[in-house]
Amino acid sequence: MAESMCRVLRDGTLEGEHAPALTIKDSVASPFAFHVFAHVFSQLSSFIFAGKSQSRGLVVVSFSRYPPFYFDLLKNKGIDVVSSEKRIQILDCYNDPLGWKDRLIETGNFTALSREASISSTANVFKDVKHMDKLYNSIIELGRGLVGGGKIRFSVAIDSVDEMLRHASMSSVAGLLSNLRSHDQVSSIFWLLHSDLHEAKVTAVLEYLSSMVASLEPLHQPANGLRVDLENFSLVEHNSKKGKFHVRFKRRNGRVRVMSEDVHIEQSGIKFTSLSSEGAINHGLVPKVQFSLQLSEKERIDRANVVLPFEHQGYGKPIQIYDGRRSLADSKHERSVAATEKVQTNEDSGRGEIIYFRDSDDEMPDSDEDPDDDLDI
């Protein structure tokens, strides 16, 4: 299921449609979102380097990690770091997001640069994260520097929307994400969110902007909420390495599909354990009720044997309904045959028949063609 999520980002968008967007969210109870983000980043990077992705480059907007971290991550995955610089550009919003260090250097109050600052001096450092318009332009410029102009596309990864929301309003951040999705050269975009740091309406807006939402939940809920005691300490320890992973896909036709997996955090990275197809697909869409929503085989047979009202049953003979195309002679012949069979049936069964007399001559006689001959009235 996690691979399906990565394939959607790999395949990109169609002409005239918005780029697929993925929100990866977690909470303090299951803080594994960055592990998922790193997995998606590695998978999409490998697709780009192999030429199997619609995008030909990747722009990483780094708010929570130094730029060298992502190149080290690719190196640990066996990807050539030297060639990766031609396909990946990192916009450094971590080292000096507000431009304070430059101001201190200009005033002479800050002369000794840290190792991290010297590393970022050669990177694409962005120093004005309060202005989303400038950030948008910087992302587009880096992407075009990777793939050029025309219809060649690139992908965008944002490792922390939380940091963006610290410096800008929700409407500004939502506008940035929406503009990136609708840009002609953006193939796909994904971002990370710690949902318990924000109000529910903020999370709802970001999920609305996404075509996929990946959420992480603890494998076991403590009995006393967040209280850690001897009774649920083992559960807390168990949740520190495992969790539940849910992905909601919004398809182009409007349908929603929810799939689930178990996640295991290991030293080598995150591992996904697939569930059975019955439990993985449409999980969470079926309401929790105290009765079965499925029919047994016996119930299906009983339902098929139900006699519907006003429906011809045939009684062992072929059903013939007047369709307005048979000749009058055939109709008279059929009526005479039906009358004979009716008399015989009445004699055999002992049942009578209803004879109707008109009350007056003003009442119109029934037509020879019964409009309700398809009903058992």
Side-chain angles (χ1 to χ4, degrees):
M1 180 265 296
E3 302 308 318
S4 300
M5 178 180 64
C6 294
R7 285 195 296 268
V8 173
L9 297 176
R10 176 199 67 186
D11 296 339
T13 182
L14 298 177
E15 191 69 27
E17 293 188 358
H18 285 184
L22 167 65
T23 294
I24 305 172
K25 67 174 186 175
D26 68 354
S27 63
V28 68
S30 184
F32 306 136
F34 190 79
H35 293 82
V36 178
F37 181 89
H39 174 78
V40 175
F41 167 76
S42 302
Q43 291 293 317
L44 185 58
S45 299
S46 63
F47 288 141
I48 293 175
F49 295 148
K52 298 180 180 179
S53 175
Q54 183 189 57
S55 61
R56 291 295 179 261
L58 176 61
V59 176
V60 181
V61 185
S62 177
F63 280 94
S64 63
R65 296 292 190 279
Y66 294 116
F69 170 84
Y70 293 101
F71 292 109
D72 293 340
L73 178 63
L74 296 178
K75 184 177 180 180
N76 295 332
K77 298 292 183 180
I79 299 176
D80 187 9
V81 178
V82 177
S83 61
S84 65
E85 295 180 355
K86 300 178 181 179
R87 300 291 183 90
I88 297 178
Q89 286 288 338
I90 298 180
L91 185 62
D92 182 10
C93 299
Y94 178 87
N95 186 55
D96 192 13
L98 299 176
W100 288 353
K101 293 181 180 180
D102 285 348
R103 298 176 187 176
L104 291 174
I105 293 174
E106 291 175 358
T107 58
N109 296 326
F110 185 71
T111 57
L113 292 176
S114 63
R115 175 179 177 272
E116 291 82 2
S118 62
I119 291 175
S120 298
S121 61
T122 58
N124 302 287
V125 182
F126 187 76
K127 303 179 181 181
D128 196 2
V129 296
K130 289 184 177 181
H131 295 86
M132 293 293 104
D133 292 338
K134 294 181 179 179
L135 180 60
Y136 170 80
N137 293 331
S138 297
I139 295 173
I140 298 301
E141 288 177 4
L142 284 180
R144 287 176 175 171
L146 285 172
V147 301
K151 296 184 178 181
I152 304 177
R153 300 177 182 267
F154 61 91
S155 297
V156 179
I158 303 174
D159 65 2
S160 179
V161 176
D162 310 286
E163 295 294 331
M164 298 173 64
L165 292 171
R166 287 181 57 189
H167 304 289
S169 64
M170 181 66 243
S171 59
S172 300
V173 175
L176 168 70
L177 299 176
S178 179
N179 291 335
L180 288 174
R181 287 196 64 193
S182 59
H183 195 274
D184 293 338
Q185 288 189 267
V186 174
S187 173
S188 60
I189 179 173
F190 60 100
W191 57 78
L192 186 147
L193 173 71
H194 299 300
S195 59
D196 51 354
L197 298 180
H198 310 282
E199 298 180 2
K201 61 181 181 180
V202 174
T203 305
V205 170
L206 294 174
E207 291 183 2
Y208 177 79
L209 293 173
S210 308
S211 57
M212 297 177 290
V213 178
S215 58
L216 288 135
E217 297 178 358
L219 198 60
H220 302 285
Q221 295 286 351
N224 299 323
L226 297 178
R227 178 185 172 187
V228 180
D229 50 23
L230 295 178
E231 183 178 351
N232 57 35
F233 180 77
S234 60
L235 296 180
V236 175
E237 185 179 6
H238 194 60
N239 289 335
S240 64
K241 296 181 180 180
K242 297 181 180 180
K244 295 179 181 179
F245 184 59
H246 309 288
V247 179
R248 185 175 74 242
F249 297 88
K250 291 187 288 187
R251 297 184 175 181
R252 292 184 177 92
N253 58 7
R255 294 184 178 181
V256 177
R257 182 181 60 168
V258 178
M259 303 180 67
S260 301
E261 284 182 337
D262 291 335
V263 294
H264 304 266
I265 306 301
E266 301 177 356
Q267 188 174 3
S268 59
I270 189 170
K271 301 295 182 182
F272 299 92
T273 304
S274 301
L275 301 177
S276 62
S277 59
E278 181 178 357
I281 299 177
N282 291 334
H283 178 74
L285 295 182
V286 180
K288 296 180 180 180
V289 294
Q290 298 182 0
F291 54 88
S292 176
L293 296 176
Q294 304 294 333
L295 294 178
S296 63
E297 188 64 27
K298 181 179 182 304
E299 290 172 336
R300 293 192 184 94
I301 296 175
D302 293 341
R303 183 180 65 176
N305 293 331
V306 172
V307 178
L308 299 178
F310 307 117
E311 181 184 15
H312 272 295
Q313 304 304 319
Y315 301 109
K317 299 179 180 180
I319 300 173
Q320 296 182 358
I321 299 176
Y322 179 70
D323 58 2
R325 292 177 294 179
R326 285 177 286 185
S327 63
L328 183 61
D330 294 339
S331 299
K332 291 181 178 180
H333 175 71
E334 290 178 359
R335 284 198 298 270
S336 62
V337 173
T340 304
E341 292 179 352
K342 183 176 181 182
V343 172
Q344 292 177 354
T345 303
N346 292 337
E347 292 177 355
D348 296 338
S349 61
R351 293 180 298 176
E353 63 179 49
I354 298 175
I355 301 176
Y356 173 72
F357 295 96
R358 284 182 291 146
D359 294 335
S360 65
D361 294 336
D362 296 335
E363 184 176 354
M364 296 297 296
D366 292 338
S367 173
D368 293 337
E369 299 177 1
D370 186 2
D372 295 329
D373 61 351
D374 57 335
L375 303 179
D376 281 341
I377 300 179

